Amino acid sequence: MKLHTGIGFDTHRLVEGRRLVLGGVEIPHTLGLLGHSDADVLAHAIMDALLGAIAAGDIGHLFPDSDPAYEGADSLALLRRVAALVRERGWRIENIDATVMAERPKLAPHIDAMRARLAEAAGIPVEDVSVKATTMEKMGHLGREEGIGAMAVATVVQ
Ligand code: MG
C-alpha cells in the first residue's frame, strides 16, 4: 500500500460587505472573507492538502483567479472536482484534518456542519474529516482580525 500526506495553508482578508463561508457553511458575522471565489479559506487549505498529497500542483494553478469562471465560485464545488481528480489518479482519501485560525466569531457551534459539508464534497465519511478552530490570542494579523487562516493535512492511499 502506498500512502501519501499533503499539507495546505491559506489566508483571506476580512472585509465588510462579504459573506463569511467556512467549510461550505455560511456563518453570521459582521465581516466576511475577500477573494475571487467565495473565499472559503478552509476549503482552499483542504484542496491544497489533497493536491499536495497527489503532487498535482495547487488550487491557484488549477483554478486561476484570473479566470472569470471562478468569480464567486462555490469552493465546495471546486473541492468536489479536486476529490474527483484524486480518485482519477488512483488514490483514495483516507482522512482530512484542518485547523481554522480566527479570533472571531466563535466557530464551535458550526464545526459539525462544516465537517458534514466537507465530507460530502470530498466523498468520504464524516468520521474521516476533522475540523478544529483556534484563536491567535490577539497576536499578529489574524489576531487583529485582519483575516482568517486555515491549515490542513490530507492523507491518501493507493
Ligand atoms: Mg484562498
Side-chain angles (χ1 to χ4, degrees):
M1 183 181 79
K2 226 173 142 184
L3 184 143
H4 279 190
T5 297
I7 186 171
F9 176 80
D10 196 22
T11 60
H12 279 265
R13 190 177 286 276
L14 275 168
V15 295
E16 287 179 358
R18 290 269 304 184
R19 300 182 306 144
L20 175 59
V21 181
L22 291 173
V25 176
E26 187 163 345
I27 295 167
H29 192 40
T30 51
L31 303 170
L33 292 174
L34 184 64
H36 188 65
S37 66
D38 61 9
D40 186 336
V41 69
L42 173 57
H44 293 185
I46 288 171
M47 282 190 269
D48 264 358
L50 289 168
L51 291 170
I54 63 166
D58 59 39
I59 53 169
H61 167 83
L62 218 64
F63 310 117
D65 63 7
S66 54
D67 187 336
Y70 302 117
E71 194 170 336
D74 171 4
S75 293
L76 282 202
L78 304 182
L79 173 57
R80 212 165 271 123
R81 285 172 57 181
V82 167
L85 178 68
V86 171
R87 289 190 291 271
E88 270 165 37
R89 299 267 177 108
W91 297 88
R92 180 172 60 79
I93 303 169
E94 182 64 27
N95 85 305
I96 292 165
D97 182 27
T99 296
V100 180
M101 295 163 280
E103 212 60 34
R104 282 189 318 139
K106 275 273 166 266
L107 298 179
H110 308 286
I111 294 287
D112 283 343
M114 292 184 211
R115 290 177 60 217
R117 295 222 61 199
L118 290 164
E120 189 271 321
I124 60 175
V126 71
E127 293 78 19
D128 297 335
V129 178
S130 160
V131 175
K132 309 178 302 300
T134 187
T135 72
M136 299 299 285
E137 300 285 341
K138 301 194 188 308
M139 293 181 289
H141 62 291
L142 301 179
R144 289 189 299 271
E145 298 180 44
E146 291 169 21
I148 289 179
M151 55 177 80
V153 290
T155 300
V156 298
V157 293
Q158 200 170 49

